[in-house]
C-alpha cells in the first residue's frame, strides 16, 4: 500500500512540474510570430484552473489580405503578469526585429515599414475570482512587412508612415 502511494505522489509531482514548464512566460524572440508569443504570455499569466475562452479561436490567418490577427480575452493573474510586463516583452521583440515602438506599432528603423501591431489592456471587467479581465490584440504580416497587402491593411488599421 505504501509503495503505491509513493508512486502516485511521484506521478502527480512530475505532472505538476511538466505542466508548470509548459506555461512559462515567453522570451523575446524573432523565431516566433507575435501571435504565438502573445498566446504563450496568456497561458503563463491566466488566473484559475479552467479557461472557458480557450475554445474560442484567437489566431486567424487572412491569406488574401496578408496578415495574422490575434485577439484574446482572459483572466489575468496580476501576481505573474501585467500590461507593462507584456508591453516590455513586445518592445524587446520589436528591437530584435530592428524596429522601434511608435504607439501600438513596431516600425522598422531603417525601412519605416509596419513590422507588427500589439496592444494589451484591461477590459474593465472583473473575473469570478476577482482577477481583472485583460485583452491582447496583435496584427502582423504573414510573409513580409514590405508585402503590398500588409502595408495597405496596416494603413487601414491606423499605421501612419514616419515623416
Amino acid at each position: 500500500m505504501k509503495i503505491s502511494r509513493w508512486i502516485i505522489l511521484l506521478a502527480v509531482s512530475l505532472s505538476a512540474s511538466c505542466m508548470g514548464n509548459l506555461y512559462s512566460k515567453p522570451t523575446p524572440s524573432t523565431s516566433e510570430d507575435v501571435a504565438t508569443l502573445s498566446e504563450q504570455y496568456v497561458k503563463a499569466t491566466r488566473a484559475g484552473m479552467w479557461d472557458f475562452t480557450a475554445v474560442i479561436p484567437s489566431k486567424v490567418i487572412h491569406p488574401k489580405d496578408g496578415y495574422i490577427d490575434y485577439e484574446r480575452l482572459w483572466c489575468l493573474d496580476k501576481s505573474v503578469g501585467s500590461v507593462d510586463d507584456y508591453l516590455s516583452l513586445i518592445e524587446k521583440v520589436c528591437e530584435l526585429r530592428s524596429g522601434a515602438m511608435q504607439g501600438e506599432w513596431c516600425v522598422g528603423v531603417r525601412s519605416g515599414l509596419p513590422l507588427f501591431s500589439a496592444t494589451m489592456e484591461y477590459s474593465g471587467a472583473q473575473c469570478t475570482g476577482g482577477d481583472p479581465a485583460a485583452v491582447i490584440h496583435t496584427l502582423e504580416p504573414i510573409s513580409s512587412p514590405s508585402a503590398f497587402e500588409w502595408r495597405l491593411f496596416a494603413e487601414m488599421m491606423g499605421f501612419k508612415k514616419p515623416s
Side-chain angles (χ1 to χ4, degrees), residues 15-163:
S15 295
S17 66
C18 290
M19 293 284 264
N21 289 338
L22 192 64
Y23 297 121
S24 59
K25 279 196 228 176
T27 55
S29 165
T30 58
S31 63
E32 297 280 356
D33 57 58
V34 176
T36 299
L37 291 170
S38 297
E39 180 66 22
Q40 291 170 356
Y41 189 85
V42 167
K43 286 179 180 177
T45 61
R46 70 176 186 222
M49 288 291 287
W50 303 106
D51 182 6
F52 70 91
T53 64
V55 297
I56 302 168
S58 50
K59 183 177 180 180
V60 181
I61 298 173
H62 301 268
K64 184 177 176 188
D65 297 320
Y67 72 96
I68 300 170
D69 185 1
Y70 174 81
E71 187 169 50
R72 184 70 191 271
L73 170 70
W74 83 108
C75 295
L76 173 68
D77 181 344
K78 289 176 79 174
S79 68
V80 293
S82 69
V83 169
D84 290 339
D85 184 42
Y86 174 76
L87 295 178
S88 177
L89 167 71
I90 291 302
E91 188 170 348
K92 289 174 186 162
V93 170
C94 183
E95 289 170 4
L96 287 172
R97 295 182 182 183
S98 301
M101 292 303 294
Q102 294 179 8
E104 70 184 65
W105 290 95
C106 175
V107 181
V109 173
R110 291 194 178 125
S111 66
L113 294 173
L115 304 179
F116 64 84
S117 168
T119 61
M120 178 182 163
E121 55 192 28
Y122 297 112
S123 72
Q126 291 288 103
C127 298
T128 305
D131 295 297
V135 179
I136 283 181
H137 188 224
T138 68
L139 299 168
E140 61 194 300
I142 291 173
S143 59
S144 165
S146 62
F148 175 75
E149 295 85 1
W150 163 249
R151 288 183 295 135
L152 185 63
F153 176 74
E155 287 177 18
M156 277 185 4
M157 296 306 292
F159 173 75
K160 303 224 184 312
K161 296 177 186 175
S163 307

